[in-house]
Amino acid sequence: MKYYTALFQKIKEYYKTQSSNSSEMALICPSLRVYENDEIKLLLPQILLDDPLKGEGLLKKQDLSFQLNSLPTSDTFWDVNPANTLFTVYGNLINSEQGLNPDSIATVNETAQQVLYDAKGKATKEKKAYDKYLGLYETLVREWEQHVAAYDDAASEDEKHIWLEKLNVILLKKEKLAVDHKLLGYKKLIEEAIKQLNSKDGLEIFLANLTNSRNTMELSKKTGIQSLESYHDINFVPYDFMSNDSGWIKLSIGKQELDQLYETAKNEKDAFPDEVISIDYDERNIIGIELEFSIVTMLRNWFSLPTLTSEYFKWNGTQPISDGQSISNNFLLPAFPKKLILIKNLKINIDPSISETVVNNIDQLIHFGPIIMKNQLFTNANTNVRFIKAIKNKETLESNNVKYYSTKTEQNDSNMLEPTPVTTPPIKPIASAPIYKAMDSIKQPWIKTTMAPTIKMMPIINPTPTPTPAPQVPNAILGIKRFIRTNPILFPPVITTPTPVKTLATVVLTITDSVSKQNVYKSEISVIGTNNTIFKEIESDKNGAIEFQLPVGNYKVKVKKDGYKVFESELKIENLITVTREYALAPESVTYDSFFLIGMICEKLPQIPKIV
């Protein structure tokens, strides 16, 4: 989590320079949260959608809405929690007894009205007197302003004396007129009536907001999921971030800056969960990261913050709403999710000494924080920098195959007493980077979420163990295997017994355009084992081809590329003979993209104490 935390720190620092709202807090998301652009579009109001939502689309919209409306329960992180949403809490608050009847808006204070106007709607003698003296006072103020502006420092002493005498006369007239206004102009009486009537305007606004929110909530409860419902609508700003580059900022961070950002984050320890920030290790194989990020505002037509902060709002519940300071389960609504912190096109630049064989190892999960990376090595044609990309196919990430590897990781964590050497190709040694750091004193609790497997933060093995001597293997990678890794090696295998190379068949795929017959570059290929736990996420090269290895088994292949319809096929590996396939993609006006939610900007509510 070291450089994942550093990335979040960088974006948080940027946002602080763009926002002046001291009530907003940037909270890191420690779990894997990925959303495809077609999913995000489901949350838009119906009027902005090409086709009305039906059936499964509405169910997906509801699910996504509950996720993104999850309330924070800590001032150090945010995560999905459908059991504690803004819908439920806000609905309970606005439906509480306020001791006010909307019909009372029409009952205006008759006494205040009668002070100003008579039964025929004409000004009373008191109001006429008030207006008369108010006009005289305004005229005198203008006279005073003009006299002050006429002062000339170059005038003679006699002229200055005359100017001063006239100023004294104006000031005396001003004091006398102020007294007349109070006594003869009914100043106090008229202004009290005006104040009382204006306060009715504030009450009217409060009741209007309250009634609108109550009606929206009530409609949702009665109708449930239906095409005209606005309950789950979210208006995004920028509204089209999911379909173009609007609002996206390119970011490149080198290793030195990543280390500096992490040190800054450690100094702000209270701003991050202990489970994240306490793990200090050297991600030696990472030399930099590149990505695009966007901070997207969520607007909800049913949510009215002024309703809760109004002087007219009353709350007599047993649990306070907020204290304006902390975020915890002690309060009903201490803060609400306001802006998404999203990233896309993540690339991890790695040490050039890392071989393609190491990256392609099918027995491992490669992580950048909670984000899983592809087991494929890419090279920048212009800079020759080697890098890996994030898996953004949500179907793959939610597959049982990936869950198996994650479960295997947790089992290895709990069962492993000693590091197990695993032979890998030579890796350039870094003498200054220790393999282990003492962390016995660090308490590593569980992070539990409702939408992803439990993330277990295990303490690292003592730096001075006395294990049973093992054969000396050159450049061995210690096989400490974790979902969130605490060892410094980026590519440790998850499976303790590696798949022998001799049991792997070579697969060569070529992706072409079904119309032009041209090769398709950078098509995203997902290979999921249907009778085993293997999965691969890879891309085609400039020739539209990709070569990789798989064990014998049955596989489902899915190919995606912007501008083409999704291609699906079955692939059977029956023996170790090389398998060659050509897949033709049908052109279609469609785009595929995914966004990783790495944090949330939440706004704290001001103090709203309970009223007994």
Side-chain angles (χ1 to χ4, degrees):
M1 294 291 282
K2 177 179 178 180
Y3 286 164
Y4 179 79
T5 303
L7 166 61
F8 181 81
Q9 179 70 21
K10 177 71 173 182
I11 298 177
K12 183 175 77 170
E13 290 178 358
Y14 164 81
Y15 183 72
K16 285 182 177 179
T17 66
Q18 306 297 308
S19 174
S20 59
N21 189 343
S22 60
S23 298
E24 293 179 343
M25 296 183 64
L27 303 178
I28 193 171
C29 179
S31 302
L32 177 61
R33 304 296 172 198
V34 59
Y35 299 96
E36 296 178 342
N37 57 349
D38 286 343
E39 289 181 309
I40 297 293
K41 288 180 180 178
L42 295 176
L43 294 171
L44 295 174
Q46 292 284 341
I47 193 173
L48 298 179
L49 299 178
D50 295 333
D51 299 311
L53 292 180
K54 298 179 181 178
E56 186 178 358
L58 287 169
L59 291 174
K60 286 183 177 180
K61 177 171 184 171
Q62 183 188 50
D63 177 58
L64 290 170
S65 179
F66 271 77
Q67 290 185 41
L68 298 185
N69 281 289
S70 297
L71 295 176
T73 56
S74 167
D75 53 11
T76 61
F77 75 96
W78 174 93
D79 208 342
V80 169
N81 184 9
N84 185 30
T85 66
L86 186 58
F87 302 123
T88 304
V89 175
Y90 181 70
N92 291 338
L93 292 177
I94 64 172
N95 283 304
S96 62
E97 180 59 45
Q98 296 298 307
L100 296 171
N101 187 341
D103 294 336
S104 64
I105 298 176
T107 308
V108 183
N109 191 311
E110 295 183 2
T111 303
Q113 271 192 326
Q114 292 171 1
V115 168
L116 301 176
Y117 301 99
D118 60 20
K120 296 181 179 180
K122 295 182 179 181
T124 61
K125 66 174 184 178
E126 291 83 4
K127 185 175 185 301
K128 289 179 180 178
Y130 177 86
D131 292 343
K132 171 187 173 182
Y133 285 101
L134 181 61
L136 292 174
Y137 191 81
E138 290 176 344
T139 301
L140 188 59
V141 170
R142 285 196 296 270
E143 182 183 350
W144 175 77
E145 290 175 343
Q146 293 171 359
H147 183 67
V148 171
Y151 177 78
D152 185 1
D153 191 54
S156 64
E157 291 299 322
D158 290 340
E159 290 173 331
K160 290 181 179 179
H161 182 74
I162 295 172
W163 181 91
L164 184 59
E165 288 294 331
K166 188 174 181 180
L167 178 62
N168 289 333
V169 171
I170 294 174
L171 294 176
L172 288 173
K173 289 169 63 177
K174 175 176 171 292
E175 291 180 7
K176 179 181 180 299
L177 189 57
V179 173
D180 291 343
H181 197 186
K182 289 180 180 179
L183 300 179
L184 304 176
Y186 303 97
K187 183 175 185 293
K188 183 178 181 180
L189 177 66
I190 297 298
E191 290 182 354
E192 283 288 343
I194 293 174
K195 180 179 179 181
Q196 189 172 2
L197 290 174
N198 284 338
S199 69
K200 290 295 180 181
D201 291 339
L203 176 61
E204 183 177 343
I205 293 173
F206 167 72
L207 289 176
N209 289 335
L210 182 66
T211 301
N212 179 65
S213 297
R214 284 179 173 177
N215 289 340
T216 303
M217 292 290 185
E218 188 64 25
L219 176 64
S220 302
K221 291 179 181 179
K222 289 181 178 180
T223 59
I225 302 174
Q226 52 135 335
S227 59
L228 298 179
E229 177 188 341
S230 62
Y231 185 54
H232 297 293
D233 288 350
I234 296 180
N235 288 285
F236 296 106
V237 180
Y239 77 95
D240 55 351
F241 77 93
M242 73 288 290
S243 56
N244 57 44
D245 292 332
S246 176
W248 290 95
I249 300 174
K250 291 185 178 181
L251 180 62
S252 179
I253 313 176
K255 187 177 185 67
Q256 182 177 359
E257 185 179 3
L258 286 169
D259 289 329
Q260 293 172 347
L261 288 166
Y262 180 67
E263 290 301 318
T264 301
K266 284 202 301 183
N267 293 333
E268 299 178 5
K269 187 175 180 181
D270 292 341
F272 291 90
D274 289 339
E275 296 85 351
V276 172
I277 201 65
S278 62
I279 302 176
D280 184 1
Y281 63 98
D282 180 17
E283 290 177 307
R284 65 170 72 181
N285 295 322
I286 296 179
I287 62 175
I289 61 176
E290 299 176 32
L291 60 124
E292 295 177 58
F293 76 91
S294 183
I295 300 175
V296 180
T297 301
M298 296 185 291
L299 301 177
R300 308 165 178 91
N301 66 343
W302 49 266
F303 179 67
S304 173
L305 184 58
T307 300
L308 301 180
T309 57
S310 169
E311 61 180 305
Y312 301 102
F313 180 77
K314 297 180 178 63
W315 174 247
N316 56 5
T318 57
Q319 188 175 2
I321 298 173
S322 63
D323 67 352
Q325 299 295 327
S326 56
I327 301 177
S328 72
N329 284 322
N330 295 328
F331 303 98
L332 287 172
L333 187 57
F336 67 94
K338 186 177 181 180
K339 300 179 182 181
L340 309 170
I341 302 178
L342 302 173
I343 67 171
K344 68 176 183 177
N345 298 331
L346 173 65
K347 298 178 182 178
I348 307 297
N349 298 331
I350 63 175
D351 191 306
S353 64
I354 302 298
S355 70
E356 188 171 2
T357 304
V358 172
V359 177
N360 292 348
N361 184 357
I362 63 173
D363 295 324
Q364 68 182 351
L365 285 181
I366 306 174
H367 281 275
F368 178 73
I371 300 174
I372 303 177
M373 311 301 292
K374 294 180 179 180
N375 292 86
Q376 182 178 4
L377 186 62
F378 301 87
T379 302
N380 188 308
N382 297 321
T383 63
N384 289 323
V385 173
R386 292 185 167 193
F387 60 92
I388 52 179
K389 296 182 180 181
I391 297 177
K392 59 182 186 179
N393 187 324
K394 194 168 183 178
E395 183 179 353
T396 297
L397 294 171
E398 294 179 345
S399 67
N400 290 328
N401 303 57
V402 173
K403 291 177 183 177
Y404 168 80
Y405 275 73
S406 298
T407 303
K408 199 69 175 170
T409 301
E410 294 174 359
Q411 291 175 351
N412 289 337
D413 276 339
S414 59
N415 296 331
M416 183 169 293
L417 299 178
E418 298 176 355
T420 304
V422 180
T423 303
T424 62
I427 296 178
K428 183 179 179 180
I430 302 178
S432 61
I435 295 296
Y436 295 110
K437 294 190 177 182
M439 296 181 65
D440 293 337
S441 62
I442 297 177
K443 183 179 180 182
Q444 305 287 358
W446 293 74
I447 301 178
K448 292 187 177 181
T449 65
T450 58
M451 303 298 288
T454 300
I455 301 174
K456 186 177 182 182
M457 308 297 295
M458 295 293 293
I460 208 156
I461 297 176
N462 189 289
T464 58
T466 55
T468 304
Q472 296 297 316
V473 182
N475 299 308
I477 291 181
L478 297 178
I480 304 282
K481 312 160 194 61
R482 316 182 188 285
F483 184 71
I484 297 179
R485 312 210 176 271
T486 60
N487 59 297
I489 305 301
L490 187 63
F491 306 102
V494 167
I495 310 300
T496 16
T497 305
T499 304
V501 176
K502 294 182 180 180
T503 64
L504 299 176
T506 297
V507 179
V508 180
L509 301 182
T510 303
I511 314 301
T512 61
D513 185 305
S514 62
V515 177
S516 67
K517 309 303 180 183
Q518 297 293 315
N519 297 325
V520 179
Y521 182 34
K522 290 185 178 180
S523 55
E524 299 191 12
I525 305 167
S526 303
V527 182
I528 302 292
T530 56
N531 64 349
N532 60 36
T533 59
I534 301 298
F535 75 94
K536 293 284 288 185
E537 280 286 328
I538 46 183
E539 295 182 18
S540 60
D541 60 19
K542 292 182 178 179
N543 298 317
I546 181 66
E547 180 179 318
F548 55 99
Q549 293 181 312
L550 290 175
V552 171
N554 299 330
Y555 300 88
K556 180 177 70 175
V557 180
K558 179 175 288 189
V559 184
K560 285 185 178 181
K561 172 67 178 178
D562 288 353
Y564 293 93
K565 185 179 180 180
V566 174
F567 177 88
E568 295 187 52
S569 179
E570 300 293 328
L571 177 65
K572 289 187 177 182
I573 308 296
E574 298 177 332
N575 50 50
L576 302 185
I577 299 175
T578 298
V579 176
T580 302
R581 295 286 187 274
E582 179 176 321
Y583 298 141
L585 305 184
E588 184 177 70
S589 180
V590 64
T591 57
Y592 308 99
D593 212 342
S594 296
F595 317 106
F596 295 96
L597 178 62
I598 68 167
M600 184 77 75
I601 304 291
C602 295
E603 181 172 344
K604 292 188 295 184
L605 269 68
Q607 185 176 12
I608 306 178
K610 63 178 181 180
I611 301 175
V612 181

